[in-house]
Amino acid sequence: MKAIALFSGGLDSTLAMKLVIDQGIDVIALYVNIGFGSTRDRREHMVNMCNQVGAEFLEIDIREQFLRDILFSPKHGYGKNFNPCIDCHGNMFKIAKSMMSELGASFLISGEVAGQRPMSQNIKALKVVGDLADSENLLLRPLSAKLLSISIPEERGWVNREKLLDISGRSREKQLKLAEEFGLVDFEPPAGGCLLTEPYFAKKMRDFVKFDQLEVEDIDSLKFGRHFRLKDGAKLIIGRNLDDNSGLQSVKSSKFSSLEAVGVKSPFALISSSASEDELNFALQTLLSYTKADIDQEYKILFNGGEREYFAKPFKNRENPREFAI
Ligand code: SF4
């Protein structure tokens, strides 16, 4: 017997898998990549958690579909920020369900806990998520199963309901105790990861979609750097540290061109390819204002790695660009 678990890399989904694996079920840990995971590459961590409980790790990329069908038109609205959690979960389960026959799985598992999150995990919302996914009661939530109506895997005796749990609410106490019992190590704090739940990220998203259509290649530009919206609508992004610089360097969107100053330690920056001349000049000065450049000296700035070269001085008043900060 095999099950597919929706796997986020977090402790709850790892525990849910462990409870089912301990009942002799093979589990595929399905990580559904919607594009808004944390800025760190968590693959290694996820594989590590799977190895600890004996689940098989599988990742699928649904970024295009998520942007097209869910992110901007969630039927059940957003949580506190840009997170359409109910629709997002429902969509993930629907996709997992559609993979069941191909993967030879008989049911689905999730690490959801009743009452843990205000929007997506109150008992009513769990039902809505199941309905959205058209899960036909094949969805088992091992951590809260005893508080929920009986699912097919329990009814048919594929899993023993008595060995499942009745955890509810936001306290992590029971999960931490279980993790200790199971000998799990290196797990992350809860709810880490989804940038859509973060206020500043949500603000950048709202700003982006006011001016442009968000495409998959644009997502990474929102994850890194200090963001500015310039007077004619161009976007300027300046790296704040080495991680930002390398993150911005990996952005593949044709909507942006890069800027980097020469002769002074320079952050890496992106500017909208459609920027006006005024905006570009402003961006050059802004970039230099985030370096230790001498305010009386002119510096060379490489546009797209040297495709063009510009010369500029930093602003005399380094506060100047702040009014355009997002
Ligand atoms: S937190 Fe993010 S990934 Fe999780 S359900 Fe909500 S929107 Fe989807």
Side-chain angles (χ1 to χ4, degrees):
M1 178 77 57
K2 201 187 267 182
I4 300 176
L6 273 203
F7 180 59
S8 62
L11 179 58
D12 289 353
S13 46
T14 309
L15 291 172
M17 296 196 299
K18 172 74 174 151
L19 289 167
V20 171
I21 289 170
D22 281 355
Q23 296 205 27
I25 310 278
D26 291 336
V27 171
I28 296 172
L30 181 67
Y31 170 60
V32 183
N33 178 5
I34 61 167
F36 294 92
S38 83
T39 49
R40 286 174 301 125
D41 183 359
R42 295 172 71 245
R43 197 168 198 282
E44 198 180 318
H45 164 75
M46 290 194 275
V47 171
N48 173 25
M49 295 312 289
C50 286
N51 289 342
Q52 290 187 53
V53 296
E56 181 190 337
F57 180 72
L58 178 67
E59 175 174 351
I60 53 163
D61 180 346
I62 65 154
R63 293 175 299 167
E64 293 275 359
Q65 185 264 348
F66 182 71
L67 284 193
R68 188 186 61 234
D69 301 339
I70 308 292
L71 184 57
F72 300 111
S73 50
K75 288 193 191 81
H76 297 274
Y78 295 97
K80 264 198 189 151
N81 294 297
F82 219 106
N83 48 315
C85 290
I86 292 181
D87 293 79
C88 177
H89 263 160
N91 185 51
M92 286 183 184
F93 283 120
K94 199 169 187 169
I95 289 169
K97 184 167 174 256
S98 74
M99 296 171 73
M100 279 173 50
S101 75
E102 178 196 337
L103 295 174
S106 306
F107 65 100
L108 303 171
I109 308 168
S110 96
E112 290 161 299
V113 169
Q116 186 177 72
R117 295 204 195 148
M119 181 190 187
S120 58
Q121 296 192 21
N122 62 54
I123 290 191
K124 197 169 144 231
L126 292 183
K127 170 143 187 7
V128 175
V129 167
D131 291 348
L132 273 178
D134 197 13
S135 69
E136 297 170 29
N137 216 11
L138 284 166
L139 172 53
L140 178 70
R141 287 142 166 148
L143 298 180
S144 294
K146 285 183 175 163
L147 301 172
L148 304 170
S149 57
I150 196 158
S151 64
I152 288 180
E154 296 159 282
E155 193 181 86
R156 302 212 177 146
W158 301 340
V159 292
N160 181 350
R161 183 172 168 96
E162 284 317 303
K163 292 186 177 165
L164 303 176
L165 306 179
D166 58 357
I167 302 178
S168 70
R170 307 184 85 158
S171 161
R172 309 286 302 159
E173 213 178 303
K174 287 186 180 168
Q175 287 95 315
L176 292 172
K177 208 161 154 251
L178 264 184
E180 199 182 326
E181 263 171 47
F182 290 147
L184 298 182
V185 289
D186 297 332
F187 48 86
E188 295 176 333
C194 180
L195 294 167
L196 295 170
T197 62
E198 293 182 5
Y200 183 50
F201 191 84
K203 196 172 174 194
K204 289 185 284 184
M205 284 281 294
R206 282 188 212 104
D207 169 80
F208 194 103
V209 299
K210 227 191 272 175
F211 291 85
D212 215 328
Q213 187 177 341
L214 187 73
E215 286 160 304
V216 168
E217 307 73 57
D218 304 326
I219 297 175
D220 281 351
S221 73
L222 293 167
K223 294 184 180 178
F224 302 99
R226 191 179 267 116
H227 287 230
F228 302 87
R229 182 63 68 183
L230 306 186
K231 71 178 176 55
D232 299 325
K235 176 86 174 262
L236 170 66
I237 310 170
I238 298 183
R240 294 162 299 184
N241 50 42
L242 288 177
D243 279 353
D244 274 353
N245 289 344
S246 70
L248 292 174
Q249 271 161 356
S250 70
V251 172
K252 299 277 177 286
S253 171
S254 58
K255 288 174 186 160
F256 295 104
S257 303
S258 69
L259 298 175
E260 206 168 3
V262 179
V264 61
K265 198 167 168 220
S266 170
F268 189 82
L270 295 178
I271 174 85
S272 297
S273 303
S274 59
S276 65
E277 206 180 318
D278 272 2
E279 287 176 324
L280 182 58
N281 287 330
F282 185 89
L284 301 175
Q285 288 186 279
T286 303
L287 174 66
L288 288 169
S289 298
Y290 282 97
T291 69
K292 293 199 167 131
D294 182 337
I295 49 171
D296 296 318
Q297 197 185 317
E298 197 168 61
Y299 292 84
K300 188 200 288 187
I301 293 167
L302 302 179
F303 180 95
N304 273 348
E307 192 183 298
R308 281 187 246 157
E309 290 178 358
Y310 293 96
F311 291 86
K313 289 180 184 174
F315 286 115
K316 290 215 180 313
N317 173 3
R318 288 180 195 257
E319 292 294 304
N320 216 344
R322 295 258 164 103
E323 67 173 295
F324 294 97
I326 292 170

